[in-house]
Amino acid sequence: MLQFQSLDPQRNLGFQNLGLGFYNCQKQLGSLRHRNFGNGLMLGGQVKTMELEGYKHGGVRLGACRWSRRSFGSCAVKVISLLSVDTAVERDENGKVGEEKRSDAIVIGSGIGGLVAATQLAVKGAKVLVLEKYVIPGGSSGFYQRDGYTFDVGSSVMFGFSDKGNLNLITQALAAVGCKLQVIPDPTTVHFHLPNNLSVRVHRQYSEFIAELTKNFPHEKEGILKFYSECWKIFNALNSLELKSLEEPIYLFGQFFRKPLECLTLAYYLPQNAGDIARKYIKDPQLLSFIDAECFIVSTVNALQTPMINASMVLCDRHFGGINYPVGGVGEIAKSLAKGLVDNGSEILYKANVTSIILEQGKAVGVKLSDGREFFSKTIVSNATRWDTFGKLLKGEELPKEEVNFQKVYVKAPSFLSIHMGVKAEILPPDTDCHHFVLENDWTRLEEPYGSIFLSIPTMLDASLAPEGHHILHIFTTSPMEDWKGISLKDYEAKKELVADEIISRLEKKLFPGLKSSIVFKEVGTPKTHRRYLARDNGTYGPMPRKTPKGLLGMPFNTTAIHGLYCVGDSCFPGQGVIAVAFSGVMCAHRVAADIGLEKKSPVLDAALLRLLGWLRTLA
């Protein structure tokens, strides 16, 4: 039977439709210290149930986590222990907060960037508090469960999971907190289905990919080799360096003296874009359009607007370390990092909606939640977008000049329409690739709303994510918030079904005949859905340049103009993507650690470097 369910902000359903299957079990999970959450948590040695504001799903109250004792590599995940912060910090009679009551860092949001920053700080000895608005960690790298399906919220293309080099940042982040996930190698990063019946598989083996591409464009073999060789030059330089904060001069100068050629290589390419490099070697317009499509997956813009460093990280790491899918789904990354954070003496609090950052004499010193509680810390790290951080959490404060300049160079990238489906397995050929990019007839539609389609079928790698005899299809296409404003609930629901049906019809025609008849479960999310559950301004997935940028020159790093406040995630250097936000988290943790005395620092060199970086950003 075909089921239509809604994961939607306009229905005002709270958590009842989230289908978070692991939140409704009554399993003994070990002893807990007494924590009074005031919402039905049964104490006394084992967890029985905890109501989430009285909501139910399938007749079962949501609450106590069914974090099973299933082992993922060397890390057994039992995340019930994360619900461990019960009281806000109170001020003394003079309105002050004692240093002993302050954490070293508060991290707002538990996306991958925020969790990597938090765990990296925790293993250095910092006391960290992560505040997450939602009921599970991960943000757009989270998951949800429905009717036996485990769906990834965002992308299923996972970089950074290899066992070699320095860009395996997810592997490193997990290892730092004693975790290792089992992964399944993906033999094909993505299968492109493009205009003029151009079909290109990006094979895990670089030689196989180059052979397939040159078979389609034999007259451009030399140009293909030169362009991708230049990508490898950048990737190899990055991969040879110990990756820490580019805002910390002692580290930066140390790397330069040890690896001067690699550092100069990266400095040379910092202001350059992939499209300009490609056009040095390649003339065929269709091949250049293919490279645009390659970059669009990385940055949601074409190659002329994609920084060469970003493109090189992705276009090479898919062959160097490969794409590897975590057993159990992408959500296992965030769950494991969250457990590792707690195991290292820090804490994470869910249903903690930060509404403002507290400033004292121009310094960020704490946060206030929607329920009135306040928490204080030596430093504040925002994993919200820069638009949310400065436009909402610091609402009423004058926008710093640096943020004004950032918003002159970058705009919010569009959000997505997402479709999660369960289908009968027989509709897919057994040799179907996991990831597909579809742009059928017109290259000019690449960047238009609903023009191109990205499809992931993670059950081609991990069949345990779906009931036996079924597959998961996760479909994305860009969609602006403006398309969903100012319409009634009835029209909104009708439009969702209409747009989703058009997208599914295109996939049925291009890839899987009979697809519609095989659907047994379907759920559609719009930019409003992404805004509500991911707390991202207009549902955006990061910054997009207003015009052709000077590479990464204009991207801000982690420090901000407000003392004690740092940003992390996809609106910081180096930008969008799991490997990029993990890099941002590593850099942020290093800079914060230096500022709170856990790493070496030089105030004089700090000031000089930050002024230099600020000046360089003005050149963008």
Side-chain angles (χ1 to χ4, degrees):
M1 175 180 290
L2 177 61
Q3 300 182 31
F4 294 92
Q5 300 191 25
S6 175
L7 180 62
D8 213 276
Q10 295 210 180
R11 287 189 173 277
N12 192 28
L13 296 177
F15 294 106
Q16 65 181 353
N17 265 0
L18 293 184
L20 302 172
F22 55 88
Y23 272 92
N24 54 25
C25 185
Q26 297 181 356
K27 180 174 288 191
Q28 181 171 342
L29 296 173
S31 297
L32 290 175
R33 291 174 291 167
H34 181 84
R35 301 285 187 182
N36 178 23
F37 284 85
N39 51 8
L41 178 60
M42 305 295 292
L43 301 170
Q46 64 179 343
V47 177
K48 292 187 178 179
T49 187
M50 181 176 115
E51 297 178 19
L52 291 181
E53 303 177 359
Y55 291 118
K56 294 183 178 181
H57 173 63
V60 183
R61 291 189 180 277
L62 294 173
C65 308
R66 192 183 70 191
W67 298 99
S68 72
R69 295 181 181 271
R70 175 183 178 184
S71 177
F72 297 89
S74 61
C75 178
V77 181
K78 297 184 295 177
V79 191
I80 189 68
S81 62
L82 300 180
L83 294 169
S84 56
V85 179
D86 58 334
T87 56
V89 176
E90 297 179 356
R91 300 173 186 262
D92 63 23
E93 59 186 9
N94 297 316
K96 303 293 184 181
V97 178
E99 286 299 313
E100 73 281 357
K101 294 183 179 180
R102 295 177 184 262
S103 55
D104 293 310
I106 287 174
V107 178
I108 304 170
S110 66
I112 294 299
L115 284 174
V116 169
T119 51
Q120 291 284 304
L121 282 167
V123 298
K124 295 176 190 291
K127 180 182 178 184
V128 184
L129 170 62
V130 176
L131 299 172
E132 169 55 49
K133 176 182 177 181
Y134 197 38
V135 293
I136 55 171
S140 55
S141 292
F143 71 105
Y144 72 96
Q145 293 179 320
R146 282 280 206 285
D147 296 356
Y149 296 94
T150 298
F151 294 108
D152 297 329
V153 170
S155 174
S156 300
V157 183
M158 288 294 109
F159 294 88
F161 257 127
S162 74
D163 56 0
K164 57 185 178 180
N166 287 326
L167 283 172
N168 57 345
L169 296 175
I170 301 299
T171 298
Q172 292 183 43
L174 290 166
V177 291
C179 287
K180 182 179 181 180
L181 295 182
Q182 296 176 6
V183 296
I184 304 167
D186 190 344
T188 304
T189 301
V190 62
H191 187 170
F192 285 96
H193 309 269
L194 300 169
N196 305 316
N197 291 316
L198 176 62
S199 172
V200 179
R201 281 184 172 88
V202 179
H203 300 277
R204 189 182 186 96
Q205 293 298 320
Y206 177 66
S207 59
E208 293 180 22
F209 164 62
I210 292 297
E212 179 153 340
L213 195 57
T214 54
K215 181 180 178 180
N216 281 284
F217 300 97
H219 55 291
E220 288 281 17
K221 181 176 181 178
E222 182 179 356
I224 290 169
L225 291 172
K226 285 184 176 180
F227 170 69
Y228 285 99
S229 291
E230 203 144 346
C231 291
W232 278 106
K233 184 192 303 183
I234 297 167
F235 177 84
N236 290 333
L238 266 175
N239 203 31
S240 70
L241 301 175
E242 181 185 9
L243 300 180
K244 290 186 178 180
S245 176
L246 301 182
E247 296 181 288
E248 203 291 292
I250 295 176
Y251 152 77
L252 202 58
F253 295 151
Q255 288 295 299
F256 181 80
F257 287 122
R258 282 192 289 271
K259 302 271 189 176
L261 182 60
E262 289 81 356
C263 291
L264 290 172
T265 296
L266 295 175
Y268 174 74
Y269 285 104
L270 184 67
Q272 300 194 56
N273 298 319
D276 295 319
I277 303 297
R279 281 161 175 76
K280 285 170 52 179
Y281 305 118
I282 295 169
K283 303 304 178 187
D284 187 297
Q286 183 163 241
L287 179 54
L288 290 172
S289 293
F290 169 76
I291 293 173
D292 281 337
E294 287 250 76
C295 291
F296 184 78
I297 292 178
V298 176
S299 59
T300 66
V301 291
N302 61 44
L304 285 169
Q305 292 187 295
T306 301
M308 184 63 176
I309 289 177
N310 285 40
S312 299
M313 277 198 299
V314 173
L315 299 185
C316 296
D317 189 52
R318 64 192 184 186
H319 305 294
F320 178 83
I323 304 301
N324 301 282
Y325 189 79
V327 172
V330 170
E332 299 303 325
I333 302 171
K335 286 161 62 176
S336 297
L337 287 173
K339 177 189 181 297
L341 177 74
V342 175
D343 288 348
N344 279 271
S346 289
E347 299 177 295
I348 183 167
L349 175 61
Y350 296 107
K351 296 173 59 185
N353 182 21
V354 176
T355 55
S356 62
I357 294 171
I358 300 169
L359 302 182
E360 289 183 357
Q361 298 179 336
K363 182 182 187 299
V365 298
V367 299
K368 185 174 183 177
L369 306 190
S370 57
D371 60 12
R373 286 179 293 170
E374 294 181 343
F375 296 91
F376 294 86
S377 180
K378 297 175 184 176
T379 58
I380 308 296
V381 177
S382 177
N383 194 195
T385 70
R386 297 187 92 92
W387 292 279
D388 289 291
T389 299
F390 290 93
K392 296 178 182 178
L393 301 182
L394 288 166
K395 192 172 184 179
E397 299 292 331
E398 183 178 356
L399 191 64
K401 181 180 178 181
E402 291 84 349
E403 299 307 316
V404 172
N405 291 337
F406 167 73
Q407 292 185 20
K408 286 180 179 178
V409 178
Y410 294 94
V411 296
K412 295 183 283 287
S415 187
F416 291 90
L417 180 93
S418 60
I419 309 169
H420 290 91
M421 298 197 312
V423 302
K424 296 175 183 176
E426 61 262 24
I427 201 67
L428 305 181
D431 60 348
T432 298
D433 294 307
C434 181
H435 304 292
H436 301 261
F437 185 83
V438 178
L439 178 66
E440 302 97 313
N441 302 314
D442 187 352
W443 285 108
T444 63
R445 295 198 63 202
L446 174 67
E447 298 175 80
E448 292 180 1
Y450 319 106
S452 53
I453 303 169
F454 193 88
L455 165 67
S456 287
I457 314 171
T459 42
M460 297 304 301
L461 299 175
D462 184 358
S464 71
L465 301 174
E468 186 176 357
H470 294 80
H471 276 299
I472 285 173
L473 269 66
H474 185 192
I475 306 161
F476 274 110
T477 185
T478 55
S479 176
M481 177 65 79
E482 289 71 25
D483 281 7
W484 304 93
K485 289 182 176 179
I487 55 179
S488 67
L489 174 60
K490 181 179 179 181
D491 290 342
Y492 177 81
E493 291 293 336
K495 183 171 182 175
K496 281 202 311 180
E497 293 306 319
L498 176 64
V499 176
D501 185 71
E502 290 174 350
I503 296 298
I504 295 167
S505 294
R506 288 167 61 186
L507 292 177
E508 183 175 52
K509 181 178 179 180
K510 185 68 178 180
L511 299 181
F512 308 122
L515 176 60
K516 286 185 179 181
S517 64
S518 76
I519 300 172
V520 296
F521 177 90
K522 184 178 75 172
E523 192 161 73
V524 183
T526 73
K528 286 189 173 184
T529 317
H530 296 286
R531 179 179 65 184
R532 180 181 184 186
Y533 292 108
L534 302 178
R536 302 179 68 87
D537 196 329
N538 280 347
T540 181
Y541 270 68
M544 183 173 73
R546 290 182 181 272
K547 56 184 181 180
T548 301
K550 294 183 179 178
L552 283 170
L553 209 55
M555 280 294 284
F557 291 96
N558 303 111
T559 60
T560 73
I562 295 176
H563 182 48
L565 175 63
Y566 306 79
C567 285
V568 68
D570 54 26
S571 52
C572 301
F573 179 95
Q576 299 179 37
V578 172
I579 193 171
V581 298
F583 190 2
S584 171
V586 170
M587 291 192 294
C588 186
H590 183 215
R591 181 64 260 181
V592 171
D595 290 340
I596 62 177
L598 297 178
E599 295 273 6
K600 292 180 181 179
K601 67 176 291 186
S602 167
V604 174
L605 291 177
D606 281 349
L609 177 60
L610 291 177
R611 281 197 298 270
L612 174 62
L613 293 174
W615 174 76
L616 287 173
R617 282 195 291 275
T618 66
L619 301 180

